[in-house]
């Protein structure tokens, strides 16, 4: 899932803060625009560390919008005081940090053991080296159906590293098709929270959502793959050195320990493809079972067990333990070897967590200052076709606060009275939801946690992330909306 501060509280009453620079809705929109422009300037021109830039601009935007120091930081005198800084940071890292840690260690075991190369080799054998980016795109598309966007990145990233390292080509050529598949399923298809929530509000059968999600999403992801192929051949980005160095350090440490103990060499015993698929598939299957059990099964002990095992934290932990045993212990690794691989893999993670957390703070401040409400009020009475209005409103909310799910749910609530008044069919309602979903992924940028995950995890600079990931998301968004708009004319 693309992450942002979706748990930020509603705008609190302004008590004791500085007066807003420009009062009312125009002031909020101006402050937000200036804040985003300043952030881009600091990161891209001044080259300020993104964590510092995000934190500084978040404070500046909050104060300029009239938030008080108490609203930003809380106070020691009142333990119940709202703190947007803590809420934004904790709200996103409470979910992301555990997944990043578990996923990174799982990826390291697959990488060091040779498991990632085994799976990558089979994909290349099936599609050919020239079509390896297509193999990555299909992998993201299929695995993205049951898996959150962020989990998909962390589980599948080792395949991208392996393919890019083997071919010597830009990691962009392999990462972007994978990300396009993951992003499309997250935005357009159940069981992901955005489209499911909108379907509940509009009272649309999920069958129509799935049908229209495929109709709109497949052409959109094809357009995104075409852009990924174009930019991947024009922008070279090597496999990130910190990730590569961590893997090499782990290999060296484990090999030395194995040799010292008289054990087998690290890769002397080949990894079976079925073992690799079982380890990668474990969290995917468990998450899928948990998702559909919540829809298909009545509340029961059995359903609770399935949902527990299918929680991303639990399923990734189980997959990591399987990897420890099947790829490590059973192949002659010692506990010290496993510890060395796991510890080395976590060294690059600190910067990722800080930057993602700061992105959560920025999103929380934008939401807490009332920007989303101002945008809703601005677009509510615009005289446009409902499908166009839904797309534009979702798009603006996405750009302003970063979270696709927040953009979908907020837009659906605003548009609901309009669609009820028009008495649209189930098919047309589903297409309006597709327009909302398409708008929710437009132009992922610096206030979106997914922007920082993609950039930092694949070693892409902020400038190049804008050229690749941000444009890719925009192509996906525009193509998906275009198909929805055209289909709405004939259904």
């Amino acid at each position: 899932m693309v992450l942002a501060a979706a748990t930020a509280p509603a705008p609190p009453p302004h008590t004791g803060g500085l007066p807003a620079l420009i009062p009312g809705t125009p002031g909020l929109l101006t402050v937000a625009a200036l804040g985003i422009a300043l952030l881009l300037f600091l990161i891209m021109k001044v080259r300020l560390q993104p964590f510092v830039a995000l934190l500084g601009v978040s404070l500046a935007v909050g104060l300029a919008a009239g938030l008080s120091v108490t609203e930003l930081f809380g106070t020691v005198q009142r333990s119940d005081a709202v703190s947007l800084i803590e809420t934004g940071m904790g709200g996103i890292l409470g979910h992301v940090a555990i997944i990043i840690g578990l996923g990174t260690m799982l990826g390291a075991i697959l990488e060091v053991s040779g498991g990632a190369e085994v799976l990558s080799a089979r994909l290349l054998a099936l599609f050919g080296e020239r079509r390896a980016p297509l193999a990555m795109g299909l992998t993201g598309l299929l695995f993205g159906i049951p898996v959150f966007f962020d989990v998909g990145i962390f589980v599948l990233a080792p395949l991208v590293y392996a393919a890019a390292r083997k071919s010597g080509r830009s990691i962009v050529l392999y990462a972007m098709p994978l990300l396009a598949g993951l992003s499309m399923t997250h935005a357009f298809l159940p069981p992901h929270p955005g489209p499911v929530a909108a379907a509940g509000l509009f009272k649309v059968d999920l069958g129509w959502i799935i049908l229209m999600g495929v109709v709109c999403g497949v052409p959109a992801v094809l357009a995104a793959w075409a852009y990924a192929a174009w930019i991947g051949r024009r922008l070279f980005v090597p496999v990130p050195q910190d990730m590569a160095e961590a893997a090499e350090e782990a290999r060296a440490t484990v090999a030395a320990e194995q040799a010292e103990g008289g054990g087998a060499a690290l890769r002397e015993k080949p990894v079976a493809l079925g073992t690799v698929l079982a380890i990668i598939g474990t969290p995917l299957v468990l998450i899928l079972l948990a998702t559909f059990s919540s829809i298909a099964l009545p509340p029961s002990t059995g359903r609770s067990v399935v949902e527990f095992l299918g929680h991303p934290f639990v399923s990734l932990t189980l997959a990591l333990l399987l990897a420890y045993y099947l790829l490590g212990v059973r192949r002659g690794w010692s506990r010290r070897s496993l510890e060395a691989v796991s510890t080395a893999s976590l060294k690059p993670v600190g910067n990722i967590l800080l930057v993602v957390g700061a992105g959560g703070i920025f999103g929380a401040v934008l939401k807490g200052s009332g920007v989303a409400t101002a945008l809703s009020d601005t677009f509510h009475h615009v005289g446009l076709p409902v499908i166009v209005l839904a797309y534009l409103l979702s798009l603006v909310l996405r750009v302003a606060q970063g979270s696709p799910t927040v953009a979908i749910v907020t837009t659906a609530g605003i548009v609901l009275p309009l669609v009820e008044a028009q008495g649209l069919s189930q098919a047309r309602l589903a297409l309006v939801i597709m327009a909302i979903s398409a708008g929710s992924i437009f132009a992922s940028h610096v206030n979106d946690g997914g922007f920082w995950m993609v950039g930092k995890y694949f070693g892409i600079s902020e400038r190049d992330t804008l050229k690749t990931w941000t444009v890719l998301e925009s192509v996906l968004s525009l193509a998906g909306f275009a198909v929805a708009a055209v289909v709405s004319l004939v259904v």
Side-chain angles (χ1 to χ4, degrees), residues 415-432:
V415 174
L416 179 60
L418 301 177
V419 297
E420 287 179 336
Q422 295 186 19
L424 301 178
S425 66
Q426 289 273 296
R428 293 288 297 275
L429 288 172
L431 287 169
V432 172

Side-chain angles (χ1 to χ4, degrees), residues 150-362:
D150 49 349
V151 177
I153 290 178
F154 305 134
V155 172
L156 299 173
L159 305 181
V160 176
Y161 297 154
R165 186 181 292 111
K166 181 177 180 180
S167 69
R169 305 170 79 179
S170 174
I171 198 172
V172 171
L173 190 63
Y174 303 93
M176 291 302 127
L178 176 75
L179 294 169
L182 292 172
S183 181
M184 189 283 279
T185 55
H186 174 77
F188 288 92
L189 294 176
H192 293 282
V196 170
L201 283 172
F202 284 13
K203 295 180 173 57
V204 179
D205 292 338
L206 287 182
W208 281 108
I209 301 297
I210 294 171
L211 175 61
M212 294 305 177
V214 171
V215 169
C216 299
V218 169
V221 84
L222 291 175
W225 286 348
Y227 175 75
W230 182 84
I231 192 64
R233 290 179 172 87
R234 288 161 176 81
L235 179 64
F236 180 78
V237 177
V239 175
Q241 282 303 307
D242 52 358
M243 298 292 185
E245 289 171 1
E248 289 301 323
E249 180 183 342
R251 284 193 185 97
T253 302
V254 173
E257 194 277 338
Q258 292 277 9
E260 182 180 327
L266 182 61
R267 298 195 182 191
E268 184 175 317
K269 299 179 181 179
V271 181
L273 176 63
T275 300
V276 176
L277 292 175
I279 292 170
I280 293 178
T282 293
L284 306 180
V285 172
L286 289 176
I287 293 171
L288 180 63
L289 290 174
T291 299
F292 285 101
S293 71
S294 64
I295 299 173
L297 300 179
S300 64
T301 301
R303 171 176 154 180
S304 297
V305 171
V306 172
E307 290 178 347
F308 171 77
L309 294 176
H311 191 282
F313 297 171
V314 177
S315 59
L316 279 171
T317 300
L318 293 174
L320 180 60
L321 294 176
L322 278 177
Y324 279 163
Y325 177 72
L326 296 176
L327 299 180
V329 173
R330 203 172 71 170
R331 299 174 64 238
W333 293 25
S334 68
R335 285 174 292 180
R336 179 180 170 186
S337 303
L338 294 173
E339 181 185 11
V341 173
S342 301
T343 301
S345 71
L346 292 175
K347 288 184 178 180
V349 168
N351 182 50
I352 297 174
L353 293 179
L354 284 176
V355 171
V356 171
I361 292 173
F362 190 45

